[in-house]
């Protein structure tokens, strides 16, 4: 037996992200001995969960539900905030709308109806939560107003979530083996009996009564991405861990599991054009550039190519990475003027950002690397003329301040790009996760 691995366990969980730890804690609660196998070394452990902001979408019917989850909320904080509600109906509605009614009905029902209870369960286990003041609420009339249903985040974001789950798992006598890659399932006609595990160059057989696969998707595997998502996807950057190469899915398919889900789909966002190939924990999700609904995006041809203001960023950002990947050269520039620059999210102010700044539009378009400058200037001028400036701009609602008469319309938050200084940020496609299951 390999040095890092216990001789046996009732339950083996493959992976050490949020899903894996939740499964491990649930199994331990029922008295099972549990072993977590993590392919990554300890310093890179935690999968994509560690790269997240730790933001959780869950049902709440008012501030009392939020207080149960976040007892640290003070009366003063409650008084200065309009949390609104996020009802089951709204959550179902969002799931339907965003997936174009292709969400798996049973899984969706479980996700929505158990979201509140599961968050409370995590809180009772010791995970701490806080409201997402900075990113999901804006101050209007002296009060923070939350919008879009994404109100709660884990303390310390994704790294905080994984650290806290790891500590809680250890307290619950769950064994964790790092650098331990599950290679294949041991199965016969009666079902799964264990896994083959490779650790420190040695492969061993580990038997268990139950194996839980929580090894993420195949987004970090360029070959599988291109095979299933299509040509060009090998050129996408990966926002998170380099360890999610589809092992769990492959192992299960190898023993005859049924594939399900959206094999050619993926969650992908606008991500700094010069970000590294995989995520970098020192930057986390700050390579993303999510203030595009307030500005415009221009491709290599100098043209706009998508309705930047079709909906709140929560409902468009996961789709627009693919749209950017399909542009010539797989990139776009997000363009803003002085009116919007102070409103840009924090991720626009990091050191490792691909940004240009100019005092005139003529100078700006010259600075947009790899872009047809003449056409870009034409596009910005035509856009400026088309903005319905008589409708007031309001970032907290879909304000209907759109454009008139453009081939690619902008439906909300259309602000003219005319007040210097101007800034532009180069983005490419940052792949987050694939959407397949078993
Ligand atoms: C930058 C970024 C930001 C995000 N922000 C949010 C957010 O704020 N809120 C949100 O809800 N979602 C967010 N997401 C999505 C979120 O990360 C995932 O939905 C979630 O973390 C998936 O959890 P998981 O446990 O299934 O997978 P992961 O956390 O990816 O865990 C997979 C685990 O399996 C391990 N593994 C892989 N292969 C093997 C093997 N063969 N043997 C052993 N172990 C293996 C990996 O090392 C890892 O530990 C974000 C994603 C990214 C990339």
């Amino acid at each position: 037996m390999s040095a890092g691995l216990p001789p046996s366990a009732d339950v083996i969980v493959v992976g050490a992200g949020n899903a894996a730890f939740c499964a491990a804690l649930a199994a331990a609660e029922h008295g099972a001995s549990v072993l977590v196998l993590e392919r990554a070394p300890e310093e890179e452990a935690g999968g994509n969960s560690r790269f997240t902001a730790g933001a959780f979408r869950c049902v709440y019917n008012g501030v009392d539900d939020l207080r149960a989850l976040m007892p640290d909320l003070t009366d003063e904080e409650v008084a200065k905030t309009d949390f609104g509600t996020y009802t089951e109906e709204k959550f179902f509605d969002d799931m339907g709308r965003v997936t174009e009614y292709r969400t798996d009905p049973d899984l969706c029902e479980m996700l929505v109806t158990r979201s509140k209870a599961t968050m409370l369960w995590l809180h009772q286990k010791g995970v701490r939560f806080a409201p997402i003041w900075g990113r999901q609420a804006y101050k209007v009339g002296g009060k923070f107003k939350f919008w879009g249903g994404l109100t709660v985040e884990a303390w310390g974001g994704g790294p905080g979530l994984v650290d806290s789950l790891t500590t809680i798992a250890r307290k619950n006598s769950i064994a964790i083996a790092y650098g331990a890659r599950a290679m294949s399932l041991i199965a016969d006609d009666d079902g799964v009996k264990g896994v083959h595990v490779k650790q420190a160059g040695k492969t061993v057989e580990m038997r268990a009564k139950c194996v839980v696969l929580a090894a993420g998707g195949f987004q970090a595997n360029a070959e599988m991405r291109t095979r299933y998502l299509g040509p060009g996807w090998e050129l996408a950057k990966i926002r998170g861990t380099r360890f999610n190469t589809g092992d769990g899915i492959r192992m299960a398919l190898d023993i005859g599991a049924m594939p399900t889900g959206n094999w050619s789909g993926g969650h992908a966002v606008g991500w700094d054009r010069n970000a590294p190939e995989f995520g970098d924990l020192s930057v986390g999700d700050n390579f993303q550039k999510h203030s595009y609904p307030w500005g415009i995006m221009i491709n290599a041809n100098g043209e706009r190519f998508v309705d930047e203001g079709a909906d709140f960023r929560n409902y468009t950002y996961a789709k627009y990475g693919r749209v950017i990947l399909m542009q010539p050269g797989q990139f776009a520039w997000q363009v803003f003027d002085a009116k919007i620059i102070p409103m840009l999210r924090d991720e626009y102010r990091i050191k490792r950002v691909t940004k240009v700044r100019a005092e005139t539009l003529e100078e700006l378009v010259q600075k947009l690397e790899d872009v047809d400058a003449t056409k870009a200037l034409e596009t910005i001028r035509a856009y400026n003329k088309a903005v319905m400036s008589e409708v007031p701009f309001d970032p907290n609602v879909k304000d209907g301040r759109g454009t008139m008469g453009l081939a690619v319309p902008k439906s909300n938050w259309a602000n003219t790009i005319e007040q210097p200084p101007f800034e532009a940020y180069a983005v490419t496609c940052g792949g987050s996760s694939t959407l397949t299951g078993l």
Side-chain angles (χ1 to χ4, degrees), residues 13-21 37-40 44-57 132 135 150 161-162 180-183 214-217 219 238-241 243-248 250-251 267 271 284-286 288 317 431-433:
V13 180
V14 180
N18 186 46
F21 277 123
L37 296 176
E38 166 61 296
R39 177 181 171 184
E44 289 180 83
N48 269 2
S49 301
R50 184 140 170 203
F51 284 85
T52 68
F56 281 82
R57 182 172 294 270
I132 315 179
R135 291 178 163 189
L150 200 51
L161 174 68
V162 170
R181 181 179 185 181
M183 304 299 289
Q219 66 277 357
I238 295 307
R239 299 172 70 201
T241 176
F243 295 101
N244 287 2
T245 53
D247 284 359
R250 177 189 46 77
M251 279 185 266
H267 180 298
W271 193 248
D285 65 1
N286 279 322
Q288 69 198 11
Y317 79 103
S432 326
S433 46

Side-chain angles (χ1 to χ4, degrees), residues 143-160:
K143 225 173 174 183
F144 278 99
K145 185 175 165 56
F146 277 85
W147 47 273
L150 200 51
T151 302
V152 183
E153 69 185 349
W155 201 265

